Amino acid sequence: SKISVVHCFYFRGGAELLFDGVKKHQVTLPCQPEPWDIRNLLKWIKQNLLKERPELFMQGESVRPGILVLINDADWELMGELDYQLQDKDNVLFISTLHGG
C-alpha cells in the first residue's frame, strides 16, 4: 500500500486571500491508486482548501492565467504542468501576478 506524503502548498501575491489569508498549508494528501499529479491536486485544492471565488484561482481544470506555479522553485512549465507527478515532500507555490481591478 502507498503511504500518503506531506506536501507544502504556498499561496502568495494575493492568492492567499482566497484561502482565508493562509499562505502556507502543510497537507497530507489521501492515498489513491494512481500517483498524484498537478491536475488532481488542483481539484483537491479547490474542494478542500479554497474558501472563496474559485474563478480567481481556477480556469477549467488548470490555474487561471496570471497565477504562476512553481514546483520546488522551478517553473511548472519546465516540469510538465498539469501532468507533473508529485514527489514526496514537494513544495508547490502559487503566486498571483494579478493586482487590483
Side-chain angles (χ1 to χ4, degrees), residues 53-70:
R53 301 182 71 182
E55 72 279 2
L56 294 183
F57 184 69
M58 304 272 306
Q59 183 172 306
E61 61 179 11
S62 189
V63 292
R64 66 174 282 167
I67 300 215
L68 184 63
V69 182
L70 299 178

Side-chain angles (χ1 to χ4, degrees), residues 9-95:
F9 308 127
Y10 300 89
F11 301 93
R12 295 280 194 279
E16 70 276 5
L17 300 176
L18 305 175
F19 297 87
D20 273 353
V22 180
K23 292 187 174 186
K24 178 181 178 183
H25 295 258
Q26 233 169 331
V27 171
T28 304
L29 293 171
C31 294
Q32 61 176 28
E34 66 278 356
W36 279 91
D37 58 20
I38 296 291
R39 180 178 285 105
N40 290 325
L41 172 66
L42 287 171
K43 279 185 210 152
W44 188 90
I45 286 176
K46 185 177 178 183
Q47 291 167 347
N48 295 279
L49 295 180
L50 193 56
K51 299 297 183 201
E52 57 185 282
R53 301 182 71 182
E55 72 279 2
L56 294 183
F57 184 69
M58 304 272 306
Q59 183 172 306
E61 61 179 11
S62 189
V63 292
R64 66 174 282 167
I67 300 215
L68 184 63
V69 182
L70 299 178
I71 300 165
N72 301 322
D73 299 322
D75 189 324
W76 76 324
E77 290 179 7
L78 305 174
M79 315 283 280
E81 296 189 4
L82 292 171
D83 296 322
Y84 174 79
Q85 292 189 347
L86 287 171
Q87 308 300 311
D88 192 11
K89 297 186 177 63
D90 273 352
N91 288 321
V92 185
L93 174 61
F94 299 91
I95 304 172

